[in-house]
Amino acid sequence: MKNAIYPGSFDPVTMGHLDVIERASSMFDRVYVTAFSNADKKGSMFTSEEKLHMLRLATAHLDNVTCSVEGGLTAVFAKEHDAVIVKGIRNEADYAYEQHHALWNRAHNAKAETLYLPADSRFDHISST
């Protein structure tokens, strides 16, 4: 069984996020969509409960997707669930940002692999910030 985790702040979940989730769900047996708190993003618009509710509504049509809110580290979650980390990228700035996190995750979980999915051009201008 091959699992994936799609971590993010999801504040709010966007059509771009949903596109990545749907694509990942077609590639993996189980996809954990996990809202983590992001110290770089100041002042969340939505509570953890609201984010979880929105994620569950957005992914209700995907049987192999599980949504949760977590307070721990992505690297630890990936290790506990034997999961590849999936990240959507829109441009070079996203790649540089995500590459930093991928290297950090590998430093804390030697088996942590990150798979980048390029954004669909219909959504590459959308940012939750």
Side-chain angles (χ1 to χ4, degrees), residues 34-93:
T34 310
F36 284 92
S37 54
N38 183 341
D40 294 336
K41 291 189 179 180
K42 306 294 183 214
S44 292
M45 285 178 42
F46 299 99
T47 66
S48 295
E49 294 79 18
E50 290 170 326
K51 292 178 193 180
L52 182 58
H53 180 70
M54 288 186 283
L55 285 168
R56 286 181 173 158
L57 287 175
T59 62
H61 64 290
L62 301 169
D63 293 334
N64 64 334
V65 172
T66 301
C67 300
S68 66
V69 174
E70 301 292 332
L73 301 174
T74 300
V76 172
F77 189 97
K79 185 175 186 176
E80 290 172 349
H81 293 82
D82 192 27
V84 169
I85 301 165
V86 172
K87 295 300 294 188
I89 55 171
R90 298 166 294 155
N91 51 41
E92 295 84 8

Side-chain angles (χ1 to χ4, degrees):
M1 180 181 231
K2 197 63 178 164
N3 299 321
I5 174 177
Y6 181 39
S9 58
F10 303 109
D11 193 38
V13 61
T14 67
M15 293 300 294
H17 291 135
L18 185 57
D19 176 60
V20 171
I21 294 166
E22 288 174 340
R23 290 162 54 201
S25 76
S26 72
M27 292 185 272
F28 295 94
D29 296 320
R30 171 71 45 204
V31 177
Y32 298 96
V33 178
T34 310
F36 284 92
S37 54
N38 183 341
D40 294 336
K41 291 189 179 180
K42 306 294 183 214
S44 292
M45 285 178 42
F46 299 99
T47 66
S48 295
E49 294 79 18
E50 290 170 326
K51 292 178 193 180
L52 182 58
H53 180 70
M54 288 186 283
L55 285 168
R56 286 181 173 158
L57 287 175
T59 62
H61 64 290
L62 301 169
D63 293 334
N64 64 334
V65 172
T66 301
C67 300
S68 66
V69 174
E70 301 292 332
L73 301 174
T74 300
V76 172
F77 189 97
K79 185 175 186 176
E80 290 172 349
H81 293 82
D82 192 27
V84 169
I85 301 165
V86 172
K87 295 300 294 188
I89 55 171
R90 298 166 294 155
N91 51 41
E92 295 84 8
D94 279 358
Y95 175 79
Y97 178 83
E98 296 301 344
Q99 182 66 2
H100 170 77
H101 290 280
L103 294 173
W104 191 94
N105 286 325
R106 286 289 301 271
H108 291 83
N109 171 4
K111 293 185 178 182
E113 294 292 347
T114 301
L115 172 68
Y116 301 117
L117 294 179
D120 185 298
S121 62
R122 296 174 298 161
F123 309 120
D124 66 359
H125 63 286
I126 300 172
S127 169
S128 62
T129 56

